Amino acid sequence: MPLPSASQTVAAGAQDAQQVDVAVVGAGFAGLYLLIRLRRAGFTAVALDTSDDVGGTWYWNRYPGARCDIQTTDYSYTFDPELESAWQWSEKYATQPEILRYLGFVADRYDLRRDIRFGTKVLTATWDEAAQRWLLTTDNGKSVSCRYYIMASGCLSAPKPPEIDGVGDFKGEIYFTGRWPHDGVELAGKRVAVIGTGSSGVQSIPKIAEQAAHLTVFQRTPNFAFPAHNGPSPADRVAALEKDRADYRAQARLSLTGVPLERATEFSWQLSDAERRQRFEKALAAGDLVAMLSQLWADQGGDLEGNALASDLLRERIRSIVKDPETAEALTPRDHPFGSKRPCLETNYYATFNRPNVTLVNLRQEPIQAITASGIKTDRRSVDLDVIVFATGFDAMTGAITAVHPIMGRDGKSLSDAWANGPRTYLGLTAAGFPNLFMITGPGSPSVFSNMVVSIEQHADWVVDRLVAMREAGFTAIEATEAAQDGWARHMADASQLTLHRLANTWYTGANVPGKAPGLMPYPGGVGPYRTICDEVVSRGMLGFTLSGPNGAAQCNDGEVVRLQPDVRLVLNMLADLNLPPLESFGAEGARGFVAQFNATRPAGRPVGEVLDGTLAGADGPLPYRLYRPATRAGEKGGPHPIVVYFHGGGWVLGDEQSDDPFCRDMCRRSGMIFVSVGYRHAPEHRFPAAAEDGYAALRWIGEHAAELGGRPGPLLVAGWSAGGNIAAVTCQLARDRGGPEVAGQLLVNPVTDCTFDRPSYNDNATGYFLTRSLMWWFWDLYCSPADRTDPRVSPLRGKLEGLPAAFVATCEFDPLRDEGIAYAEALAAAGVPVEQLQARGHFHSSFTMVDVVATGVDGRTKMAEALRRFAEVEEAMPKAAE
Ligand code: N01
């Protein structure tokens, strides 16, 4: 007899099953809100939870000292103003019992328990292709047949196994912070160990120390921690909320973290030591995770130097509290940037190590060998114990989704297999191959990088709204496409470049679970930007999803929702919101004024050794220049440095020797070279070939005065951006044809190389990316009459290319000039010139020059600096801090 197919088996199981539209796993913050939304939208729903009451994470994590670390003003549901006024929190950071009471209150108020099956574990979840439904088997009662399956199972709900030999041999008591007994644990008079110093350890250690006869803390990695200053909710926060609750909540939803706090906009190098300390003390006094992570200075989260300044202040504080210097040093984090690992809010944590009944064991110096019958044995000692507390964390973000039960999607493929090399999702909400499966705060969404309640509400709203829209349109199945999912993975990787998370081994990256595929799991691009992306998916016709239904209803609008680099997207959105008239409509003078005004608002460039203004001889009179000299660092010679002759951008019409100031500073620092930015003459006052001839004259003058400028003898380098890239390319051709000076290499960043507008990038990127096709027309018209445009002094692509210096040509995907830059690089290579190309994905015309605004441009500028150093044959490595 033939065996039944998987589909037939599922179909048979489905007959006796509880039939609902939607099944939800979990009855915590996410599960409860989903039930409310689903019920209001007219869907039948059931939530399944292994616990015997609501609460999710807050049901299980009952260890001493457990509290939230986002202020209760913000760590609350926001969907119902009446609920908000019906509940009063007693403290700034509520205890676990109070949060559990709150969730119970919510469950009662909306009568949710009737739709929750407690004490019920899902054993398997299988997609039935024929029925277009999921079948869930359970360990308690009926199976569940549902159209949609939603994992609201939490990000930190699957505790990590102990991973230490001998746990079973221990004769004393063992507890996990994430599974703490409900009737408490008697610790008085006992010898207790806590293994782990993450948030759970940092919260529980002071409380346990107060009770135990002796507490031994086994620490592998010290974490950054700063005071919670718990107490009543701060008056200013409460006042801000009460002043206009709807506005406060709206701001939270569009903020980066889900808490509406202003972020610092000044960079560390714009502040004095005293100002930085003052900001630090203010954040310290606030006792707020988000404040400390975002209100010190703008470069604290994404830049190692800016971060080190914050890390040092936090380290100093540890030394000021912990009396024993060796213990203080052991508690001092040195292996990861501040914020790259989840920092902890502490109450008496460091002071606890001054107690006579507390010992710290530094596992970096004496690893645990095994747990024995009587206690814990390290390389150096045996500690006798009555109780061991594991505060060792969770199989975060994916554990509760894949490790808890097999989820079998289309064609019998399991989610664990699909995620064998790390979670792959579209928006952290769905996964290709798993129709009608949703994850709330899943990997690939902001989740644990945010105020979870705000992110939960956003996800639940998005999902339920989609289900309603599908019902109205007659669709019954939804599935992400592979292309959309791949695009999301790229966007995730791009966004992670903006943070320092990649530099730490943490549960964010899966590094805490042996064998787990590495990779940043939460979305680091921020709550507000993420929300707008989810909304954009909808407004662009469910981009990246296949929708289908009975009678052949089908729709697939495939594609990637974000192709721009994350910070480029923010800049362009901001510019679009300003709704500016076209630059060319201002006229040349007006446009110059506008650019000067715009430049005045950008972050000041970083300090370099020296900035000097001077005058050089141009083709027809003196020209201003600005020279940037690198700082001399300890152990360096301090020059003479190679000189880069630099030409600014601005379409031969706008800008001056100072207008690319941040770029020149950054490149000066990265390359360790002198940059001389030339104030060449502009059109329309000085039309073609004034700028080109000035470029060549400047090169000659700088070559002749290299020694006076502190430059290294020998060949010069030439660089330029946009129209400046055009002048740089032309200058190299003129130097070759007119007998020097010798040029060792040319750096052409988004250069204009040819007068034709026919290449695809001129059409693909004609508008919407700041430099427009019509603006380029205007520039050409002001600079050069049509008869002159094919002259190689303005269209260097049409010139002779043999014998030119080695080149590095950078182009950007979303730039009208992209294709002519690539064409120039290819033509140079064909002419035998050594060429390196950087085709920057997701970038626009200004990506590299908007230093400290488009932080994803760093990688490109690093490559440019390396190329300049190769051209100049500089052998020593750049000092670390400049990388
Ligand atoms: O877990 P963790 P957690 N041998 O993974 C150590 C949230 N949360 O439960 O860093 C020895 O952070 C491990 O060492 P290392 C919050 O988001 C919030 O504390 O891997 N040590 C680390 O020190 C938090 O980030 C609150 O070297 C071992 C510790 O155990 C997240 O939950 C409260 C080990 C684990 O720290 C997780 O926090 C609590 C081993 N084999 C939690 N394995 C609030 O305040 C692990 N460790 C709201």
Side-chain angles (χ1 to χ4, degrees):
M1 201 173 79
L3 291 170
S5 69
S7 191
Q8 284 167 326
T9 313
V10 175
Q15 279 165 12
D16 307 324
Q18 179 183 2
Q19 304 287 328
V20 284
D21 296 325
V22 186
V24 174
V25 176
F29 265 101
L32 296 183
Y33 182 51
L34 274 166
L35 284 182
I36 295 169
R37 281 292 330 259
L38 287 165
R39 203 186 273 170
R40 286 180 178 173
F43 291 104
T44 55
V46 64
L48 306 145
D49 201 302
T50 51
S51 64
D52 58 17
D53 201 356
V54 299
T57 287
W58 297 106
Y59 175 91
W60 296 107
N61 283 272
R62 298 175 184 237
Y63 59 84
R67 289 176 188 271
C68 56
D69 60 3
I70 295 289
Q71 297 194 25
T72 43
T73 38
D74 303 274
Y75 196 70
S76 302
Y77 287 117
T78 69
F79 65 89
D80 181 351
E82 284 179 22
L83 170 63
E84 291 202 49
S85 41
W87 180 266
Q88 290 298 319
W89 292 104
S90 67
E91 287 180 288
K92 175 178 164 189
Y93 297 112
T95 59
Q96 173 271 339
E98 186 174 3
I99 301 171
L100 197 57
R101 278 201 303 282
Y102 172 68
L103 291 170
F105 174 79
V106 171
D108 290 341
R109 187 177 172 92
Y110 301 93
D111 188 18
L112 301 178
R113 286 191 178 83
R114 68 180 155 93
D115 285 333
I116 304 174
R117 281 171 54 181
F118 292 111
T120 305
K121 183 173 161 59
V122 178
L123 298 176
T124 59
T126 311
W127 173 248
D128 180 349
E129 183 68 31
Q132 301 272 286
R133 291 174 76 84
W134 285 92
L135 179 69
L136 317 181
T137 59
T138 70
D139 69 346
N140 181 10
K142 280 187 167 191
S143 299
V144 178
S145 168
C146 54
R147 173 77 65 206
Y148 302 103
Y149 185 35
I150 307 181
M151 301 301 289
S153 42
C155 294
L156 294 154
S157 46
K160 206 169 73 104
E163 300 155 5
I164 299 173
D165 289 344
V167 178
D169 299 338
F170 184 58
K171 297 276 184 275
E173 303 156 55
I174 287 187
Y175 302 104
F176 288 79
T177 49
R179 290 288 179 274
W180 201 256
H182 287 196
D183 32 13
V185 177
E186 185 51 67
L187 296 172
K190 293 185 180 163
R191 296 161 305 171
V192 181
V194 173
I195 304 177
T197 52
S199 299
S200 304
V202 166
Q203 284 186 332
S204 59
I205 283 165
K207 294 285 176 194
I208 293 175
E210 285 169 10
Q211 301 166 38
H214 196 92
L215 168 65
T216 311
V217 175
F218 291 83
Q219 172 196 269
R220 192 162 65 185
T221 312
N223 223 341
F224 285 103
F226 44 89
H229 295 310
N230 196 25
S233 288
D236 56 345
R237 187 77 69 98
V238 174
L241 177 63
E242 286 178 354
K243 187 168 158 233
D244 187 343
R245 201 169 273 271
D247 181 61
Y248 184 95
R249 298 302 188 206
Q251 282 183 42
R253 293 181 190 118
L254 291 175
S255 68
L256 287 182
T257 54
V259 179
L261 290 190
E262 295 283 331
R263 299 171 73 80
T265 50
E266 299 82 3
F267 289 80
S268 59
W269 61 86
Q270 296 174 278
L271 301 167
S272 67
D273 283 354
E275 285 169 328
R276 284 198 297 269
R277 188 169 287 275
Q278 195 188 17
R279 282 175 178 228
F280 174 72
E281 295 296 341
K282 191 172 167 214
L284 208 58
D288 187 280
L289 201 57
V290 180
M292 187 62 93
L293 284 167
S294 63
Q295 294 194 318
L296 299 180
W297 32 91
D299 50 323
Q300 69 177 100
D303 179 88
L304 271 179
E305 287 179 44
N307 186 278
L309 293 164
S311 302
D312 284 346
L313 289 165
L314 285 160
R315 292 186 190 117
E316 192 184 298
R317 180 174 170 268
I318 301 170
R319 286 194 295 276
S320 75
I321 301 174
V322 180
K323 292 190 178 130
D324 172 45
E326 199 183 330
T327 305
E329 180 52 31
L331 287 166
T332 301
R334 298 203 184 275
D335 74 333
H336 64 277
F338 167 58
S340 60
K341 195 172 184 145
R342 172 90 171 196
C344 311
L345 285 185
E346 56 103 358
T347 303
N348 294 331
Y349 177 66
Y350 292 116
T352 295
F353 291 90
N354 294 333
R355 291 174 67 109
N357 71 330
V358 175
T359 309
L360 179 69
V361 175
N362 181 351
L363 298 181
R364 296 283 176 209
Q365 288 174 357
E366 46 176 316
I368 295 178
Q369 284 184 355
I371 293 177
T372 64
S374 59
I376 295 179
K377 187 167 163 19
T378 73
D379 279 2
R380 292 189 190 166
R381 62 184 117 177
S382 289
V383 181
D384 288 338
L385 297 163
D386 303 308
V387 178
I388 300 177
V389 174
F390 284 91
T392 43
F394 302 88
D395 181 355
M397 303 211 66
T398 54
I401 300 175
T402 57
V404 175
H405 60 266
I407 298 179
M408 313 297 282
R410 196 186 288 290
D411 304 324
K413 182 152 189 176
S414 82
L415 192 62
S416 309
D417 287 346
W419 287 6
N421 297 319
R424 298 184 69 242
T425 70
Y426 183 35
L427 305 170
L429 272 162
T430 59
F434 298 84
N436 291 6
L437 172 71
F438 294 97
M439 292 159 269
I440 301 301
T441 62
S445 73
S447 61
V448 291
F449 281 160
S450 69
N451 172 2
M452 286 298 281
V453 190
V454 167
S455 289
I456 283 169
E457 286 188 340
Q458 185 251 336
H459 263 190
D461 287 342
W462 193 92
V463 170
V464 178
D465 289 348
R466 301 291 67 71
L467 301 193
V468 170
M470 286 170 63
R471 184 175 59 194
E472 283 166 4
F475 294 120
T476 50
I478 175 169
E479 184 181 346
T481 69
E482 290 284 349
Q485 187 164 274
D486 290 348
W488 192 248
R490 266 191 296 279
H491 176 59
M492 281 280 292
D494 291 341
S496 76
Q497 292 304 309
L498 294 170
T499 73
L500 299 174
H501 292 292
R502 64 191 183 284
L503 303 179
N505 291 326
T506 65
W507 59 261
Y508 291 146
T509 63
N512 67 328
V513 175
K516 191 162 173 174
L520 189 66
M521 293 182 287
Y523 173 71
V527 166
Y530 174 81
R531 175 182 292 268
T532 63
I533 292 169
C534 291
D535 292 347
E536 189 179 327
V537 164
V538 178
S539 66
R540 291 171 68 186
M542 292 305 285
L543 185 66
F545 283 105
T546 302
L547 303 176
S548 56
N551 310 320
Q555 169 192 313
C556 180
N557 184 10
D558 206 357
E560 279 174 62
V561 61
V562 184
R563 291 179 58 209
L564 293 166
Q565 290 294 326
D567 40 11
V568 171
R569 178 175 181 274
L570 293 183
V571 167
L572 290 173
N573 283 348
M574 198 188 71
L575 287 170
D577 287 347
L578 292 176
N579 203 13
L580 299 168
L583 199 55
E584 55 275 29
S585 68
F586 293 128
E589 268 315 307
R592 284 172 193 158
F594 174 83
V595 168
Q597 228 181 346
F598 185 80
N599 285 348
T601 63
R602 68 191 168 180
R606 292 184 194 218
V608 294
E610 185 182 25
V611 179
L612 277 179
D613 289 329
T615 307
L616 54 77
D620 190 27
L623 299 175
Y625 71 81
R626 176 164 275 202
L627 180 145
Y628 302 85
R629 193 186 314 287
T632 306
R633 291 167 217 255
E636 280 184 309
K637 278 194 293 206
H641 304 279
I643 296 183
V644 181
V645 180
Y646 179 76
F647 301 105
H648 66 83
W652 308 286
V653 174
L654 315 173
D656 56 31
E657 72 284 0
Q658 301 181 23
S659 55
D660 290 351
D661 186 77
F663 182 72
C664 290
R665 286 172 183 270
D666 189 79
M667 291 301 295
C668 165
R669 286 165 58 91
R670 278 176 203 285
S671 64
M673 296 181 183
I674 292 173
F675 266 61
V676 183
S677 175
V678 178
Y680 56 87
R681 286 171 297 160
H682 289 150
E685 297 84 348
H686 304 282
R687 285 166 61 85
F688 172 84
E693 292 298 340
D694 276 351
Y696 176 63
L699 180 77
R700 286 193 62 138
W701 187 91
I702 292 166
E704 284 158 14
H705 296 81
E708 285 158 51
L709 298 173
R712 195 183 74 171
L716 299 167
L717 297 126
V718 172
W721 168 59
S722 191
N726 172 269
I727 298 169
V730 170
T731 296
C732 290
Q733 294 193 10
L734 296 179
R736 176 202 56 194
D737 298 343
R738 298 181 183 176
E742 194 184 338
V743 178
Q746 50 182 326
L747 168 64
L748 310 179
V749 185
N750 313 101
V752 181
T753 70
D754 192 24
C755 56
T756 176
F757 277 53
D758 289 345
R759 294 187 174 83
S761 58
Y762 252 115
N763 294 321
D764 298 348
N765 308 315
T767 57
Y769 301 104
F770 193 59
L771 178 65
T772 61
R773 183 184 168 94
S774 100
L775 183 58
M776 275 310 296
W777 266 119
W778 185 66
F779 286 146
W780 272 100
D781 279 348
L782 291 186
Y783 182 50
C784 197
S785 64
D788 289 330
R789 291 189 187 180
T790 53
D791 188 311
R793 285 178 298 165
V794 68
S795 288
L797 185 57
R798 294 173 192 245
K800 178 185 153 212
L801 302 180
E802 285 76 14
L804 285 173
F808 185 97
V809 183
T811 53
C812 292
E813 185 181 4
F814 295 97
D815 181 2
L817 305 183
R818 178 193 68 205
D819 292 345
E820 66 195 78
I822 294 172
Y824 197 61
E826 287 172 354
L828 285 172
V833 176
V835 180
E836 295 167 54
Q837 269 201 70
L838 169 67
Q839 296 185 17
R841 181 179 54 76
H843 281 288
F844 80 133
H845 187 68
S846 305
S847 279
F848 295 122
T849 48
M850 291 187 89
V851 179
D852 296 316
V853 175
V854 179
T856 49
V858 166
D859 196 39
R861 287 195 306 276
T862 304
K863 291 193 172 93
M864 293 174 202
E866 285 165 359
L868 288 174
R869 290 171 71 79
R870 275 194 302 280
F871 297 155
E873 297 180 354
V874 177
E875 309 234 306
E876 323 87 72
M878 269 308 281
K880 198 90 195 126
E883 282 172 8

